[in-house]
Amino acid sequence: MEAIASPLVKVVAISGSIRKASFNHGLVRSVIDISKELNNGVKVEYVDISPLPMLNTDLEVNGTYPAAVEAFRNKIAEADCYLFASPEYNYSVTAPLKNAIDWASRPPNVWADKAAAIVSAGGGWGGGRSQYHLRQIGIYIDLHFINKPEFYLNVFEAPAKFDADGNLIDAESKESLKKVLLSLHAYALRLKGK
């Protein structure tokens, strides 16, 4: 009997940190590598939010947005689901991440009715408080977050979880990321009715 190929699921991955060697960028890079190893129909694309201007409705002209915003909104609209790597700044999400979310939620809201997952790396609770705020934001913009598994990584625990370039090197953490990606994949297919 021939195996049935899994339908393609396009995942847009966004890091809430715009620092190139950030731990959260490292999580995104690791998820992309894991998706290639899985070879199960999930395709993860990193979308950079650093070119986005700060939200200013004066920049909306005759129902259009600045070029960087239009390109970002198109990537969000074309995706089946999203993976946020959300660092925690002052118990919440970062300003660049909130800005990106707000731009894509301008009419028409291109986030709506799709699956999402959150991973985070940081000190203390590993970015956990930012995840709760992101879930609250997601309610209003009609995102459907997976509930489990959760992924919070305390980067100050020994042994080191990342190398000097911000790449995830911890095998146990990679396995946990894989479980998040598989859960997101399954939930996205469920929401699509497949």
Side-chain angles (χ1 to χ4, degrees), residues 9-89:
V9 172
K10 291 191 246 175
V11 181
V12 160
I14 297 171
S15 173
S17 174
I18 57 175
R19 188 174 64 86
K20 296 296 181 210
S22 82
F23 298 130
N24 287 277
H25 271 285
L27 295 180
V28 168
R29 286 191 300 275
S30 192
V31 166
I32 290 169
D33 291 343
I34 291 166
S35 72
K36 291 174 184 173
E37 291 166 13
L38 286 173
N39 195 25
N40 68 343
V42 68
K43 181 177 185 232
V44 181
E45 178 184 2
Y46 166 68
V47 175
D48 185 8
I49 61 175
S50 65
L52 297 174
M54 289 302 292
L55 183 91
N56 177 350
T57 55
D58 289 343
L59 299 175
E60 298 176 26
V61 180
N62 298 324
T64 63
Y65 300 95
V69 174
E70 288 284 5
F72 176 71
R73 287 175 55 84
N74 288 338
K75 289 288 186 183
I76 298 306
E78 292 166 1
D80 297 306
C81 58
Y82 315 104
L83 182 119
F84 296 95
S86 181
E88 181 180 318
Y89 289 9

Side-chain angles (χ1 to χ4, degrees), residues 84 114-118 134-135 137-139 143-147 187:
F84 296 95
K114 294 183 184 175
I118 314 167
L134 187 48
R135 285 177 182 274
I137 294 164
I139 291 168
L143 280 176
H144 305 289
F145 285 102
I146 64 168
N147 291 324
Y187 194 37

Side-chain angles (χ1 to χ4, degrees), residues 23-24 27 86-88 120-127 152-157 162:
F23 298 130
N24 287 277
L27 295 180
S86 181
E88 181 180 318
S120 59
W125 291 357
Y152 310 93
L153 183 60
N154 184 323
V155 297
F156 299 118
E157 292 177 347
F162 294 86

